Structures are given as structure tokens and as C-alpha cells.
Amino acid sequence: MINKVILVGRLTKEVELRKTNSNTSVCSFTLACNRRFQSAQGGQTADFINCIAWRQSAEFLARYASKGSIVGVEGRISTRSYDNQQGQKVYVTEVTCDSVQLIGSNRNSAEPSNYSANVPNNQTFTPSSGSGYGSEEDDFSSTPSLDISSDDLPFY
């Protein structure tokens, strides 16, 4: 079976780092992900998706991300339930993040939209590294250019 989620969205509020009784870092956050279509009134619509990050991913988000930051997450859908203080059963569906990446800054920030200076080696933070991002193999500057005129294009 497959349970894989990839999201890109803006953080709806500041990330708050918490520790469990066993001193494990965890943070819950909500990503606002724009939909591809507009509302009947012509406005942008979004889904607000609850996410949870653990250990080093949680510490990374708490340290570098802020409200409005564009964040990419990769993970899986998780469901759980608990009894609230009124004795009612509450069901929760959220994305448990396996990796997180800062893609851009918040809209009001004067900082650049690329956080690569803040992330070591310009890599996605994934607890199990080895992603290959930022390697010399990704350099496309040696790709030869094509000399094609607009007359050669069948759809011009």
C-alpha cells in the first residue's frame, strides 16, 4: 500500500517547539495550500492542512521557519483519536512529516526568498541524508544551446 504526501504551502502561524516526556522534539503546524481554482467571487481558495514534525525536522522548522514562510513537506497521512476533557472522542487526521524544506520567506520579511544561506550545504533537511541536492551533477551550465529560429517551429 502507498501512503505518501507532498505539500507546499505557507505556515499559518509561528512554529512552537515542544518536548515530550522522553525529551523528543515535536511541533504541530498548519500549511495553507492554495487550490488551483478560484471561488465564485474570484478569490483564491486554500486548504489548511495540519502537519506534525518530530525530532530534527521539528527543531529545524522552529529555528528557521516563521509565519508566512513557504515550506515543502514530504510525509504520510496519519490518523489518531483521543478523549477530550468533556469525554468526547476526537478524531485527528494530519500529515506526519518525514522531511521538511524551506522554500521561501514570509511576505513581509526583508530577507531573500531563498533560505539556502541558512540551510547547511543548500540541502533539504531529511533525517536520512544523501539526497544529492546541491551537487556538481546538477550544474546545467555546460549544456549546449540550440540554434533554432522561429521559422523552424511548427506552432509559431
Side-chain angles (χ1 to χ4, degrees):
M1 305 301 157
I2 299 173
N3 183 356
K4 182 99 168 161
V5 175
I6 299 173
L7 299 171
V8 175
R10 288 192 182 273
L11 289 175
T12 59
K13 61 183 179 179
E14 296 297 324
V15 175
E16 185 176 328
L17 184 67
R18 299 182 319 267
K19 298 281 186 172
T20 64
N21 293 337
S22 61
N23 205 30
T24 303
S25 299
V26 61
C27 68
S28 297
F29 56 96
T30 301
L31 281 183
C33 300
N34 288 341
R35 293 182 177 174
R36 292 182 179 231
F37 55 89
Q38 295 182 347
S39 67
Q41 295 77 24
Q44 182 65 51
T45 58
D47 290 308
F48 296 87
I49 301 169
N50 295 325
C51 302
I52 188 166
W54 293 89
R55 297 174 185 79
Q56 294 160 326
S57 294
E59 293 171 9
F60 173 81
L61 277 175
R63 184 171 183 181
Y64 294 109
S66 61
K67 178 180 177 179
S69 295
I70 300 173
V71 176
V73 301
E74 182 180 339
R76 63 190 184 281
I77 298 281
S78 299
T79 58
R80 60 186 170 90
S81 64
Y82 63 92
D83 293 327
N84 65 11
Q85 294 176 345
Q86 292 78 27
Q88 299 168 321
K89 188 163 269 305
V90 177
Y91 295 94
V92 179
T93 301
E94 60 198 357
V95 174
T96 301
C97 300
D98 295 327
S99 67
V100 297
Q101 179 178 11
L102 284 178
I103 297 174
S105 66
N106 60 28
R107 295 177 193 176
N108 300 325
S109 175
E111 293 194 24
S113 62
N114 184 347
Y115 274 82
S116 62
N118 295 336
V119 181
N121 299 323
N122 194 18
Q123 292 184 4
T124 303
F125 183 81
T126 308
S128 58
S129 184
S131 60
Y133 291 106
S135 66
E136 293 179 17
E137 298 169 4
D138 294 339
D139 184 15
F140 297 106
S141 60
S142 62
T143 304
S145 63
L146 299 175
D147 187 21
I148 300 176
S149 72
S150 59
D151 296 334
D152 294 335
L153 300 174
F155 48 83
Y156 183 77

